[in-house]
Amino acid sequence: KHATPCVAVRRFALGRRGGMLARVLHGARPALSVARARLPGHACASFRQMCATTARSAPKSLLEAGQVDAGFYQGTLLLGAVLAGSQLIPQDTQVDALKALTKGFRALGLSEERIPDKVLLNDFVKKNALAAQNVLLASPTFYFLFSFITGQSVAVSCVRAITGTMRIVPFMGLFYGAFACLAPFAVQAYMQYGGKSYEESVTGASIALMLGGFVFVEAIVELRGCGVTFAQMTLSSFAVFVPALVGRLAAGVLTQQSKVGQEFVPLVPAAWETGAEWQQRVYATSRALCIDMDFLTTAAGTSVFQHILNAVTFVLLSRGSKATLGDIGKFLLFGVNNTVLSGLTQTMRTFFMRTLFGLSWNMASSQKWSTPAFDRAIAGEAAKPKKE
């Protein structure tokens, strides 16, 4: 019997011996074998297999696996000194120091007409100090989740959450301290030479500073926090890491930095506060978790960029200075197990990571922190005279 057209096409395409697909695969097999032979030995292995080859040098204790190193101790001592100083130094002395700081800005040429003392202290010094504090409060969530979604145990992830946070303390101090010092002059330049308003100048100056060098400090902050040593960092990895970081900074740092001190506005309508019972519960949950539009921007808007950053970080931790762009692309597509399913799973894990980190960061930024020394200095209150 003659085959129907559909059966004939199927036999032609999928026949066991003479089918088109079989002939294509048979003809391509030699080329694939040659290409595979030319690839480095690690190119066809998953990252888990590559890590298994170094099992002999694997950490033998929880402290080693948790990356308790010199950077952790340095950051812990520095943070401890800052916290001790904030509690032990008299408030009057802190107020005098803030006023002396404003005089230093004026001596360096910052115009009081364009940026008054109150604006200088509130929008630049206080806001950046609180922004640094909020990042440190949210960082344990970030480093725990990064370790956990890349295959570490809960115990190791908990230790790395602390060690990673402590390692970034010096770099965070440098980042936000330098930003507080340089941003006022950048804003003044925008106002003076660009003829823009103060609000427009703040946005333009922040972006210019981020792209002008602060993004590299942020890159080192994240890599060091995740445990990447300076010896493991490569120029090729920075070529991928920095552009992705710029995108994430725009949706993350700049959003949360500008949020400090602003009134919290829930994502759900205000009328739900007195609406039906289920609406009141949703409204109360939204306020309790500080879920607003900035949370959505921080979580969803940064997930794609974070997936790229995670790929670079994990490859550097696995391969060190031997890491290639091919390794990074491979992780992006196929995850830690070198399969399509592993790649999709890793992407979903990254979104989960950014959502929880964005939630914790957004909650920290939404709090009304007590800053009596800043408040007195901004109000222009003089220090109390010392008793004789």
Side-chain angles (χ1 to χ4, degrees):
K1 297 181 180 180
H2 295 286
T4 62
C6 293
V7 173
V9 170
R10 185 178 63 183
R11 287 178 179 176
F12 172 73
L14 302 176
R16 291 185 178 181
R17 294 182 179 275
M20 180 178 64
L21 182 59
R23 290 197 299 271
V24 170
L25 292 175
H26 179 73
R29 190 174 291 115
L32 291 174
S33 299
V34 173
R36 187 181 184 88
R38 290 180 178 178
L39 288 173
H42 69 272
C44 299
S46 70
F47 284 100
R48 288 195 187 279
Q49 291 172 331
M50 286 189 285
C51 292
T53 60
T54 59
R56 293 182 179 179
S57 60
K60 299 180 180 180
S61 68
L62 180 61
L63 294 182
E64 288 179 297
Q67 301 172 337
V68 179
D69 54 10
F72 162 73
Y73 292 114
Q74 292 167 1
T76 302
L77 289 175
L78 179 58
L79 181 61
V82 172
L83 294 177
S86 65
Q87 297 298 318
L88 298 178
I89 297 177
Q91 191 178 114
D92 289 346
T93 303
Q94 296 181 29
V95 173
D96 290 338
L98 290 173
K99 291 184 176 181
L101 181 63
T102 60
K103 294 179 180 178
F105 276 103
R106 303 306 175 200
L108 293 174
L110 187 66
S111 171
E112 186 173 2
E113 181 181 354
R114 290 189 174 88
I115 303 180
D117 289 349
K118 293 183 179 180
V119 174
L120 173 63
L121 290 175
N122 186 72
D123 291 4
F124 297 98
V125 182
K126 176 183 175 180
K127 181 170 288 189
N128 279 283
L130 291 178
Q133 169 191 281
N134 296 336
V135 169
L136 291 178
L137 290 174
S139 288
T141 303
F142 179 90
Y143 294 117
F144 172 85
L145 291 172
F146 173 79
S147 299
F148 187 68
I149 69 174
T150 52
Q152 299 299 325
S153 66
V154 174
V156 171
S157 298
C158 287
V159 177
R160 290 189 179 186
I162 304 302
T163 57
T165 301
M166 292 299 102
R167 263 196 305 272
I168 68 171
V169 169
F171 303 102
M172 281 288 94
L174 173 64
F175 182 93
Y176 285 101
F179 202 96
C181 293
L182 297 178
F185 295 99
V187 171
Q188 178 176 262
Y190 267 78
M191 295 175 67
Q192 183 175 354
Y193 300 108
K196 297 182 179 181
S197 65
Y198 172 77
E199 290 75 15
E200 293 174 330
S201 299
V202 168
T203 302
S206 298
I207 295 175
L209 287 174
M210 285 293 182
L211 299 180
F214 280 84
V215 65
F216 294 98
V217 179
E218 177 68 16
I220 295 175
V221 167
E222 183 154 331
L223 290 172
R224 287 293 296 126
C226 291
V228 179
T229 64
F230 288 105
Q232 291 175 312
M233 300 178 190
T234 62
L235 291 178
S236 59
S237 63
F238 270 90
V240 178
F241 197 90
V242 171
L245 187 58
V246 170
R248 200 195 70 184
L249 284 173
V253 171
L254 294 180
T255 299
Q256 295 298 324
Q257 189 181 40
S258 62
K259 180 184 177 67
V260 174
Q262 293 185 0
E263 188 68 24
F264 169 71
V265 180
L267 187 63
V268 298
W272 285 22
E273 185 176 9
T274 56
E277 183 178 355
W278 69 270
Q279 291 178 331
Q280 294 181 22
R281 291 180 179 178
V282 172
Y283 185 87
T285 303
S286 179
R287 287 201 66 90
L289 298 179
C290 299
I291 299 177
D292 55 7
M293 188 56 66
D294 290 330
F295 161 70
L296 294 183
T297 301
T298 302
T302 60
S303 294
V304 174
F305 300 111
Q306 186 62 54
H307 187 49
I308 300 174
L309 298 176
N310 284 357
V312 177
T313 304
F314 186 79
V315 169
L316 288 177
L317 286 171
S318 304
R319 300 285 300 161
S321 59
K322 297 180 181 179
T324 65
L325 295 178
D327 292 331
I328 297 172
K330 179 180 174 183
F331 182 90
L332 286 172
L333 296 176
F334 306 115
V336 296
N337 292 323
N338 198 24
T339 64
V340 175
L341 179 60
S342 177
L344 293 175
T345 303
Q346 202 66 37
T347 303
M348 291 186 290
R349 287 175 176 175
T350 300
F351 179 77
F352 175 73
M353 168 189 177
R354 289 306 303 184
T355 300
L356 290 186
F357 173 66
L359 181 63
S360 61
W361 195 3
N362 200 63
M363 289 182 66
S365 299
S366 300
Q367 303 304 313
K368 298 293 184 182
W369 301 106
S370 176
T371 55
F374 276 109
D375 295 339
R376 286 177 55 186
I378 292 171
E381 181 181 339
K384 298 177 182 179
K386 297 181 180 179
K387 296 182 180 180
E388 303 230 353

